C-alpha cells in the first residue's frame, strides 16, 4: 500500500479465515498522543503507534510548528524535547485525509496562539469544520475559513481564561479540540456532552496527570479541565484499534472460520459498541486477557464463524459505533432478517457520504436495502451471494468503505474488485498483509 497511486484490489473466493494476528494501533489515540506529547515537551517514547497516513500527517504538521518527533529504526516514536517555543509557519499544515488531525490541531494551535494555515485532500476539503471552528472562535480564536471548510487560516489571539461549551453534535473531535485549546492556553474548560463519545483525550490527560474531572448530570457528561496543569510525560503504549479489528471480526464471522484470534484490541467502553451489536446479532466472540495499557483497557478476542441475525440500531449507541457502521452493514447483509439503522445522519459527513457509499455497493451486489435520511434498512440473507460475474465497486476514496466491501467479498461466489483502495493506508496500512496472513488473498 506504499505511495498514493491508485490501487484497485480484487478479492479471492472460497477463503477460510484462521490464525492469530495483532491488531494495528489505534488511530484516534496515536494522533492524540503526538499532540499532547508535543505540548508536554518532555522526552517520551511511544510503542504501538499506528504508522498510518493520518497519524503521520499529524506528526509532520506538529514537526512543521517545531515539535521534535522522530521515528526510530525500531519503529517506536520518540518525542524529543524542543529547546524553543512552537513556531508560526508560512507553509500550510497539510492534514491529508484526517478529520481528527485537522479538528484537534485547530484546537491545539489556537490555544498555543500561532499564525498558520491548514489544508487537506479532496475529501477533507468537503467536510464541515464549523463545528470545531465555532467554539474556538467563541473562546476568542481568530479563524477564517471558506464557509466553514478548508482552506482555513488562524491568526494568533488570546483565548478566554474560562470557557463552557455544550456540544450541539456528538463529536469526540470537537470535544477534544476544545480541551486541547484549553490545555495549551491554560484556560479552565467545561465541556458538556449530551451523548457519550470516545473519551481517549480525557483518559490520556488523566494518564499524564492533568486535573480533569468527569461527572454526569441528567444523562449528560460534564468534563471539567482545570486551568493549572503540570503534565508529567511517561512512555506510552498505544492499544490496538477496535475499528480496524472489526473488519477482521466480521471476516471471521461470515466466512468459513475455525477461529481467528485478534490480539491487543482496545476495549475502551466508549468504543466497544461494535462488540455489543455483533453479540446481539449472535456472534461468537470470546474476550480474553483483559488488561490496561497506559490508561486504556485492551484484550484479545477469539472470533468464530456464527449464524447472524438482523438488529435495530439507533439512539445513544450510534456515536459509539459510528466508524463501524459500514462493516456492520456488511454483517447485516449476511445475517438472517432485517437490520434497521437510524439516527446515523453523521455518516453523511465522514470521509465520504458513507450511507450513499454503502448503498451504491449494495446495489452492485444486489443486496436489498432501503435508504433513509439518517440510516438504512437492510434485508439480510445468511447464504453466500451467488454472482453471475465479477463486479466492480467504488470505494468513494474512503478507507472504511474499501475495507468493508473487500470483506464482503468473502461471501461472494465471484471475485469483486474495489476501486481506489489507497486510502486504506490512512488507518490500516498492513491490511493486505494481515488479511493474507489469515487466509484471504487480495490481488492488486
Ligand atoms: C474520532 C472521532 C469520530 C470518528 C473519527 C475519529 C476521534 O469522529 O468518526 O474516525 O479520533 O476523535 P467525530 O468525533 O467527528 O464523530
Amino acid at each position: 500500500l506504499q505511495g498514493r497511486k491508485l490501487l484497485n484490489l480484487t478479492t479471492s473466493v472460497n477463503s477460510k479465515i484462521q490464525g492469530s494476528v495483532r491488531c494495528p494501533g489505534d488511530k484516534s489515540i496515536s494522533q492524540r498522543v503526538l499532540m499532547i506529547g508535543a505540548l508536554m515537551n518532555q522526552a517520551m517514547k511511544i510503542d504501538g503507534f499506528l504508522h498510518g497516513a493520518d497519524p503521520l500527517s499529524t506528526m509532520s504538521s506538529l514537526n512543521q510548528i517545531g515539535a521534535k518527533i522522530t521515528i526510530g529504526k525500531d519503529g517506536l516514536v520518540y518525542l524529543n524535547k524542543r529547546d524553543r517555543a512552537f513556531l508560526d509557519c508560512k507553509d500550510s499544515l497539510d492534514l491529508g485525509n484526517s478529520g481528527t488531525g485537522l479538528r484537534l490541531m485547530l484546537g491545539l494551535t489556537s490555544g498555543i496562539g500561532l499564525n498558520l494555515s491548514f489544508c487537506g485532500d479532496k475529501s477533507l476539503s468537503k467536510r464541515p469544520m464549523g463545528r470545531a471552528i465555532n467554539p474556538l472562535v467563541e473562546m476568542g480564536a481568530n479563524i477564517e475559513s471558506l464557509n466553514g471548510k478548508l482552506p482555513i487560516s488562524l491568526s494568533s489571539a488570546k483565548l478566554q481564561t474560562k470557557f463552557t461549551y455544550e456540544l450541539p453534535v456528538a463529536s469526540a473531535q470537537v470535544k477534544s479540540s476544545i480541551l486541547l485549546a484549553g490545555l495549551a492556553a491554560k484556560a479552565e474548560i467545561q465541556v458538556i456532552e449530551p451523548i457519550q463519545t470516545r473519551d481517549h483525550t480525557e483518559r490520556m490527560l488523566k494518564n499524564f496527570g492533568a486535573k480533569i474531572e468527569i461527572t454526569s448530570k441528567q444523562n449528560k457528561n460534564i468534563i471539567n479541565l482545570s486551568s493549572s496543569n503540570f503534565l508529567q510525560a511517561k512512555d506510552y503504549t498505544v492499544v490496538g484499534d477496535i475499528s480496524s479489528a472489526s473488519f477482521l471480526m466480521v471476516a471471521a464471522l461470515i466466512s468459513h472460520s475455525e477461529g481467528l484470534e485478534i490480539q491487543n484490541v482496545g476495549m475502551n467502553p466508549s468504543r466497544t459498541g461494535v462488540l455489543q451489536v455483533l453479540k446481539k446479532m449472535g456472534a461468537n466472540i470470546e474476550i480474553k486477557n483483559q488488561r490496561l495499557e497506559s490508561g486504556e483497557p485492551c484484550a484479545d478476542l477469539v472470533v468464530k464463524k456464527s449464524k447472524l441475525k438482523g438488529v435495530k440500531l439507533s439512539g445513544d449507541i450510534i456515536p459509539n459505533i459510528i466508524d463501524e457502521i459500514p462493516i456492520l452493514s456488511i454483517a447485516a447483509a449476511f445475517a438472517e432478517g432485517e437490520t434497521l439503522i437510524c439516527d446515523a445522519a453523521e455518516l453523511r459527513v465522514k470521509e465520504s457520504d458513507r450511507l450513499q457509499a454503502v448503498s451504491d455497493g449494495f446495489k452492485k451486489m444486489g443486496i436489498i436495502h432501503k435508504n433513509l435520511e439518517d440510516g438504512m434498512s437492510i434485508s439480510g440473507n445468511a447464504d453466500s451471494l451467488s454472482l453471475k460475474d465479477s463486479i466492480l465497486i467504488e470505494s468513494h476514496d474512503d478507507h472504511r468503505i474499501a475495507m468493508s466491501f473487500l470483506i464482503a467479498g468473502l461471501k461472494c461466489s465471484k471475485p469483486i474488485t474495489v476501486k481506489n483502495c489507497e486510502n486504506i493506508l490512512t488507518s490500516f496500512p498492513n491490511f493486505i498483509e494481515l488479511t493474507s496472513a489469515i487466509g484471504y488473498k487480495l490481488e492488486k
Side-chain angles (χ1 to χ4, degrees):
L1 276 175
Q2 288 311 312
R4 308 288 290 173
K5 276 185 288 159
L6 296 183
L7 172 72
N8 298 345
L9 290 173
T10 301
T11 62
S12 46
V13 293
N14 292 328
S15 302
K16 206 171 183 179
I17 298 293
Q18 59 195 359
S20 174
V21 286
R22 194 170 170 81
C23 181
D26 188 281
K27 176 159 77 75
S28 295
I29 297 175
S30 294
Q31 312 235 57
R32 283 159 170 79
V33 75
L34 292 179
M35 295 187 212
I36 294 173
L39 193 65
M40 285 194 290
N41 197 25
Q42 299 160 45
M44 184 178 130
K45 187 169 77 185
I46 305 165
D47 195 1
F49 181 79
L50 175 72
H51 294 269
D54 281 6
L56 292 175
S57 60
T58 295
M59 187 187 292
S60 341
S61 299
L62 285 164
N63 281 338
Q64 253 179 282
I65 59 169
K68 284 193 165 171
I69 311 173
T70 51
I71 302 173
K73 285 204 179 87
D74 49 11
L76 302 186
V77 170
Y78 292 86
L79 284 152
N80 307 295
K81 198 166 160 22
R82 285 176 278 116
D83 42 20
R84 52 183 181 177
F86 284 113
L87 309 162
D88 294 338
C89 185
K90 279 213 186 80
D91 295 332
S92 280
L93 305 191
D94 184 353
L95 274 311
N97 193 243
S98 180
T100 306
L102 178 57
R103 294 188 177 119
L104 270 60
M105 282 298 286
L106 273 169
L108 181 79
T109 55
S110 296
I112 300 171
L114 295 175
N115 297 289
L116 294 173
S117 60
F118 295 89
C119 64
D121 72 3
K122 221 166 98 193
S123 146
L124 192 60
S125 304
K126 283 193 215 151
R127 297 180 64 188
M129 293 301 142
R131 55 178 65 188
I133 296 173
N134 296 341
L136 295 171
V137 167
E138 258 184 60
M139 269 177 98
N142 210 334
I143 301 176
E144 274 178 33
S145 70
L146 190 68
N147 298 322
K149 294 189 177 151
L150 284 174
I152 295 172
S153 60
L154 170 71
S155 42
S156 167
K158 178 128 186 50
L159 301 193
Q160 286 175 31
T161 51
K162 201 171 170 187
F163 182 66
T164 296
Y165 191 73
E166 177 156 350
L167 297 175
V169 266
S171 168
Q173 295 178 352
V174 175
K175 169 176 66 175
S176 303
S177 174
I178 300 167
L179 289 172
L180 292 180
L183 184 73
K186 302 196 185 311
E188 188 183 324
I189 301 290
Q190 181 175 74
V191 183
I192 303 162
E193 64 172 359
I195 304 182
Q196 163 91 62
T197 65
R198 60 189 72 190
D199 65 355
H200 302 304
T201 305
E202 297 90 305
R203 280 174 187 261
M204 195 177 291
L205 289 174
K206 226 180 223 162
N207 177 66
F208 291 126
K211 291 183 207 146
I212 184 164
E213 263 176 31
I214 298 116
T215 50
S216 89
K217 207 173 177 184
Q218 289 152 358
N219 268 336
K220 295 179 182 179
N221 270 345
I222 308 186
I223 302 138
N224 285 299
L225 177 70
S226 147
S227 59
S228 70
N229 278 299
F230 177 74
L231 270 50
Q232 182 69 54
K234 49 187 167 180
D235 291 346
Y236 191 92
T237 299
V238 178
V239 297
D241 200 321
I242 192 166
S243 303
S244 300
S246 61
F247 296 104
L248 307 174
M249 289 186 231
V250 174
L253 290 170
I254 65 171
S255 71
H256 305 286
S257 169
E258 283 164 13
L260 172 70
E261 184 183 49
I262 316 166
Q263 296 163 3
N264 188 41
V265 180
M267 294 289 285
N268 180 317
S270 63
R271 299 281 302 279
T272 46
V274 63
L275 288 176
Q276 283 169 44
V277 172
L278 287 172
K279 286 197 167 169
K280 208 163 148 197
M281 293 177 82
N284 180 344
I285 304 178
E286 188 194 342
I287 303 170
K288 296 194 315 188
N289 302 329
Q290 301 211 45
R291 54 202 187 266
L292 206 62
E293 287 281 13
S294 301
E296 288 280 350
C298 82
D300 305 328
L301 306 180
V302 178
V303 189
K304 289 190 180 142
K305 179 184 166 75
S306 307
K307 262 206 185 114
L308 300 179
K309 54 180 194 288
V311 272
K312 283 203 172 72
L313 304 174
S314 64
D316 287 7
I317 195 163
I318 298 296
N320 192 312
I321 57 170
I322 196 72
D323 291 342
E324 289 74 66
I325 293 177
I327 187 63
L328 285 172
S329 310
I330 301 296
F334 297 112
E336 257 343 302
E338 164 144 334
T339 289
L340 180 65
I341 303 166
C342 302
D343 302 325
E346 191 58 23
L347 288 178
R348 299 206 180 272
V349 291
K350 291 294 178 189
E351 285 83 328
S352 70
D353 175 342
R354 287 183 172 158
L355 291 172
Q356 190 59 49
V358 169
S359 168
D360 289 352
F362 277 177
K363 265 187 228 148
K364 287 276 180 83
M365 294 173 72
I367 288 170
I368 301 165
H369 66 286
K370 236 189 258 145
N371 291 318
L372 311 169
E373 209 37 61
D374 64 344
M376 165 181 293
S377 75
I378 302 162
S379 294
N381 185 338
D383 298 335
S384 286
L385 191 68
S386 155
L387 294 173
K388 272 206 211 89
D389 237 321
S390 54
I391 50 171
L392 198 60
I393 288 182
E394 298 287 339
S395 69
H396 293 252
D397 294 323
D398 183 327
H399 54 133
R400 298 202 197 280
I401 297 300
M403 290 187 278
S404 297
F405 282 101
L406 288 168
I407 296 301
L410 277 163
K411 276 291 248 196
C412 296
S413 63
K414 291 272 160 58
I416 62 177
T417 297
V418 182
K419 282 172 76 181
N420 303 351
C421 292
E422 55 284 353
N423 273 340
I424 292 176
L425 194 63
T426 59
S427 65
F428 203 150
N430 60 344
F431 184 69
I432 298 175
E433 291 79 359
L434 237 153
T435 46
S436 157
I438 60 173
Y440 188 35
K441 290 250 177 313
L442 301 170
E443 300 287 344
K444 290 184 200 174

